[in-house]
Amino acid sequence: MNAPIGVIDSGVGGLTVVKEMLRYLPNESITYLGDTARCPYGPRSKEQVIQFTWQIVDQLEKMNIKMLVIACNTITAVALDGLQKRCKFPVVGVINAGAQAAIKATKTHDIAVIATQGTVKSGAYENALYSLYSSSNVTSLACPRLVPLVESGEYEGKFAQNLVAETLAPLKNTKFDTMILGCTHYPIIQGLIEEVVGDQVHVVSSAEETAKQVKEILRFQHIARTDKKPPEYLFYTTGSVPIFRSIASNWLPLKEINVKRIKL
Ligand code: DGL
């Protein structure tokens, strides 16, 4: 099936999942929609996140996607079940993938999760981790300042370094051997996070596991792209095209980034 896979996020964070999809699914076309103009979703109510998500999904349905990847933990936490029930195509979230990555990495089962307020409040990571290993010892921290930092594109340098250190300070006396980047924006500043937590901690995200799950679903449902022509990558943002393009070109191994502005 040659239709594109739809990938959604509140902004540029889902590009961290796209990067792994390019690695694991090099023959698939991708249509990405980031709601940058209304980002962050983390502090918003559950009802509002669900409402915004349906606006995004309605657009992608019109573009005839064959599958949907919710490359956003905040949306996954509150909208995955509803989307899976109502969409005619397969829908994958990122939280189970993130929990699986952590369970594979941890030795002590002391796991820290950093995420948006919405994701932390939902308890979705705790639930996913407990269902994989019931004696997991999970500490969650909401980090509302990190998404605006990434979206600004100003995440290199002293200011960013200090902000990440201040944000993670509450975990100073907490014991954990694995940290989940429970927000798809955070792998973009993974280097800064690793500087603070030290190299004895495994820092994991959901991106790679999600890409593997997508590959499995395409195979299982017989909907992998068979076209011999190169795949197409289209990026839509509701916000600034130049900022989106600059972050996407830094992050993705693509020669050209085709970004368009879209109204929801
Ligand atoms: N990238 C998103 C996540 O994984 C959302 C960030 C936000 O909009 O607050 O949670």
Side-chain angles (χ1 to χ4, degrees):
M1 205 175 176
N2 297 322
I5 300 174
V7 180
I8 64 169
D9 181 45
S10 61
V12 295
L15 297 175
T16 61
V17 178
V18 170
K19 189 174 188 166
E20 294 302 319
M21 289 174 67
L22 295 176
R23 211 151 70 89
Y24 282 89
L25 305 155
N27 197 42
E28 293 297 330
S29 294
I30 294 173
T31 300
Y32 183 98
L33 203 162
D35 191 8
T36 317
R38 298 187 293 194
C39 186
Y41 277 16
R44 296 183 186 275
S45 70
K46 180 177 165 180
E47 291 70 28
Q48 194 168 42
V49 172
I50 293 175
Q51 184 203 344
F52 289 178
T53 302
W54 277 107
Q55 292 169 355
I56 299 175
V57 175
D58 283 347
Q59 284 291 337
L60 289 180
E61 270 183 330
K62 284 185 208 142
M63 297 177 197
N64 283 324
I65 55 167
K66 65 177 174 187
M67 178 174 183
L68 177 68
V69 179
I70 311 172
C72 174
N73 292 268
T74 312
I75 299 178
T76 302
V78 299
L80 178 66
D81 289 348
L83 287 166
Q84 284 178 328
K85 276 190 199 116
R86 282 185 33 202
C87 291
K88 288 191 206 81
F89 37 74
V91 181
V92 195
V94 281
I95 290 183
N96 278 334
Q100 268 168 16
I103 294 293
K104 277 187 192 164
T106 186
K107 298 241 156 37
T108 63
H109 291 279
D110 299 313
I111 298 169
V113 181
I114 57 169
T116 67
Q117 292 117 300
T119 302
V120 169
K121 207 166 126 205
S122 75
Y125 265 105
E126 276 91 344
N127 293 340
L129 288 163
Y130 296 147
S131 71
L132 291 170
Y133 186 82
S134 58
S135 314
S136 300
N137 173 30
V138 187
T139 308
S140 299
L141 177 70
C143 306
R145 293 170 75 196
L146 299 187
V147 168
L149 175 72
V150 172
E151 288 286 334
S152 72
E154 309 281 329
Y155 44 79
E156 273 152 14
K158 203 75 207 144
F159 173 78
Q161 209 177 359
N162 289 340
L163 195 145
V164 172
E166 268 169 37
T167 302
L168 299 182
L171 292 174
K172 230 178 205 153
N173 298 319
T174 309
K175 226 175 51 167
F176 54 92
D177 78 337
T178 299
M179 172 180 266
I180 303 181
L181 304 183
C183 169
T184 53
H185 281 72
Y186 300 169
I188 294 179
I189 49 169
Q190 185 159 346
L192 299 178
I193 294 169
E194 282 172 343
E195 262 173 45
V196 177
V197 296
D199 32 325
Q200 73 290 355
V201 172
H202 300 278
V203 176
V204 300
S205 73
S206 43
E208 188 174 354
E209 283 300 320
T210 303
K212 287 188 201 164
Q213 282 181 13
V214 173
K215 190 172 179 164
E216 225 7 69
I217 292 169
L218 294 178
R219 197 182 60 83
F220 188 70
Q221 303 231 0
H222 306 287
I223 53 171
R225 183 170 179 272
T226 48
D227 204 332
K228 295 282 171 280
K229 279 192 289 194
E232 276 183 16
Y233 305 113
L234 286 177
F235 297 89
Y236 292 96
T237 171
T238 55
S240 156
V241 169
I243 297 180
F244 189 99
R245 183 178 292 113
S246 141
I247 298 173
S249 342
N250 277 337
W251 189 252
L252 299 176
L254 294 177
K255 279 202 205 88
E256 239 176 77
I257 311 273
N258 184 0
V259 192
K260 290 192 181 113
R261 193 160 172 168
I262 194 166
K263 265 204 177 138
L264 295 177

